[in-house]
Amino acid sequence: MQDTPRETPLTRRRHLGPPIPAEGENSLFSETWFPICLSRELPAGKVLGVDFLGGRVVAYRGASGVARVMSAYCAHLGSDLSVGDVQGEELRCAFHHWRYDPMGWCVSTKVGDPPPKGACLFAFQATEKHGIVWAYNGERPRFEIPDFPYPASELMTNTSAFPEPVPVDPWVLSCNTPDMQHIKALHGVTFDKGDPHDAVEWTDHSMLYDFSGLHANGEPIEYRVGIYGTNIFYQSSTINGRWFGAMTPFGLPRSGQTKVFAVIAARKNEGDEQSTKDFLRFVTELEMRVVSEDMPVINSIHFRPGTLTKSDRTLARFFQYLRDYPRCHPSAEFIV
């Protein structure tokens, strides 16, 4: 009886699915809200330079307290405005003292010459939420940054940013949420009713699903998790019967690099101040433990869709969601 023929190293081929566009491919990036900096990094009068979408932007806060995000290079000779200053609501270049209004238009020059026609910066649509300053890549937002189910006044919140970037595009990190094999195998989570593929809610800008089960250490959990855009992880959950929220927005300094921000929230009225602080510390450590389990993989992965199984049904659909997701770069000529 002959052995079944086997592939040899010379005849083997890796079976790959259709590729997912990398951020920056064809000079385009996902049309979504990106975190730029922590609110506490931007006191009134501060200008902060930030690498973004392969270029550079500045965030600043004028006298009114409103945070704004602009392209970083002066329209005159390209001086980096992060070494400039804020005058009232205007951004002033350190080199020749050209001044820009909140819409990005040059309104005056130090020597009194009229500002040249077309002298302007790119003014991003910006907002401030969850202790983070955000900028939208695109002409008009496709969605709002998600809220937790309780008003901010009822929440105790811990917002932070990882000190070092992660060497993958944000969407690679986002793939962990629809990857139910990963949730069970790497993080030890047990689903009460099997993989919740049929519970996933899809829109053109998000995917969300609910499940109940047990965390790795046996704590009973009820989770609502999902992704907004290609880069905002959202979670509204209970563990041991107490609610907490988590959000992990992924910034994009440049192609193949992610700046990770984290928001963890707990309800004030579910305990006294000290017990709420203790619970917030507990869930922060829980979420950071999950992240620490992911990091050795993420820091070394060569990510691309390969051979999938029936457990990857939601992940496969998310891959298609990513392929279809709109990309643009209206600020390109200003920030690079």
Side-chain angles (χ1 to χ4, degrees):
M1 188 174 181
Q2 291 185 333
D3 292 337
T4 303
R6 299 181 63 188
E7 292 180 329
T8 69
L10 293 177
T11 61
R12 290 177 188 166
R13 295 292 182 269
R14 185 173 180 188
H15 300 282
L16 298 173
I20 296 167
E23 293 290 1
E25 187 173 318
N26 298 319
S27 300
L28 301 175
F29 297 88
S30 292
E31 194 173 315
T32 186
W33 288 101
F34 287 101
I36 298 298
C37 64
L38 299 174
S39 295
R40 62 177 177 265
E41 295 180 286
L42 204 64
K46 176 74 177 288
V47 187
L48 183 68
V50 180
D51 293 336
F52 183 47
L53 305 183
R56 189 148 174 92
V57 300
V58 289
Y60 77 96
R61 195 185 300 277
S64 67
V66 175
R68 296 184 170 88
V69 180
M70 305 277 188
S71 53
Y73 300 123
C74 181
H76 184 207
L77 297 179
S79 178
D80 189 334
L81 295 168
S82 68
V83 300
D85 60 10
V86 181
Q87 301 284 317
E89 295 300 313
E90 295 173 357
L91 186 59
R92 186 175 70 167
C93 178
F95 199 6
H96 300 97
H97 289 194
W98 287 27
R99 293 167 67 136
Y100 297 88
D101 70 13
M103 299 301 293
W105 289 103
C106 182
V107 293
S108 67
T109 66
K110 176 67 174 179
V111 298
D113 292 346
K117 184 179 180 180
C120 65
L121 309 175
F122 187 91
F124 288 85
Q125 296 194 60
T127 192
E128 200 163 4
K129 201 170 195 177
H130 306 304
I132 293 171
V133 176
W134 308 70
Y136 191 80
N137 178 47
E139 298 292 343
R140 182 178 302 159
R142 300 170 55 81
F143 62 93
E144 296 297 322
I145 297 163
D147 288 307
F148 293 124
Y150 304 102
S153 61
E154 295 181 10
L155 301 178
M156 183 181 292
T157 304
N158 180 13
T159 303
S160 60
F162 287 23
E164 298 297 330
V166 179
V168 295
D169 281 339
W171 61 262
V172 175
L173 292 164
S174 295
C175 285
N176 282 350
T177 300
D179 184 354
M180 296 176 188
Q181 284 202 53
H182 138 268
I183 293 171
K184 294 186 293 185
L186 182 56
H187 300 308
V189 171
T190 303
F191 297 134
D192 276 349
K193 300 176 182 178
D195 293 355
H197 298 294
D198 294 329
V200 182
E201 304 159 18
W202 296 91
T203 73
D204 65 353
H205 62 264
S206 67
M207 59 85 63
L208 292 155
Y209 63 95
D210 301 295
F211 69 87
S212 59
L214 297 176
H215 216 290
N217 292 331
E219 305 99 331
I221 55 175
E222 293 185 3
Y223 276 18
R224 179 169 179 78
V225 297
I227 299 294
Y228 285 81
T230 61
N231 66 312
I232 303 172
F233 169 75
Y234 173 86
Q235 180 175 345
S236 176
S237 305
T238 62
I239 185 166
N240 289 327
R242 186 165 183 177
W243 180 87
F244 75 95
M247 199 174 301
T248 313
F250 304 129
L252 184 54
R254 57 185 54 82
S255 300
Q257 195 174 92
T258 295
K259 174 76 171 177
V260 179
F261 292 73
V263 183
I264 310 291
R267 297 186 72 190
K268 297 175 184 177
N269 65 0
E270 292 188 355
D272 60 28
E273 182 177 0
Q274 187 57 52
S275 67
T276 301
K277 287 181 179 178
D278 291 343
F279 178 69
L280 191 62
R281 186 179 306 110
F282 163 72
V283 293
T284 298
E285 291 173 354
L286 178 73
E287 294 294 295
M288 292 304 103
R289 187 183 76 209
V290 170
V291 171
S292 70
E293 292 167 349
D294 285 326
M295 282 303 101
V297 176
I298 294 300
N299 283 328
S300 58
I301 198 167
H302 185 53
F303 193 99
R304 46 185 167 173
T307 51
L308 305 179
T309 73
K310 65 179 182 179
S311 295
D312 294 317
R313 177 152 56 105
T314 299
L315 180 60
R317 182 164 176 180
F318 190 69
F319 287 161
Q320 191 58 48
Y321 166 93
L322 292 171
R323 295 183 190 106
D324 295 338
Y325 198 83
R327 289 168 170 79
C328 64
H329 195 4
S331 65
E333 64 183 279
F334 292 88
I335 70 171
V336 177

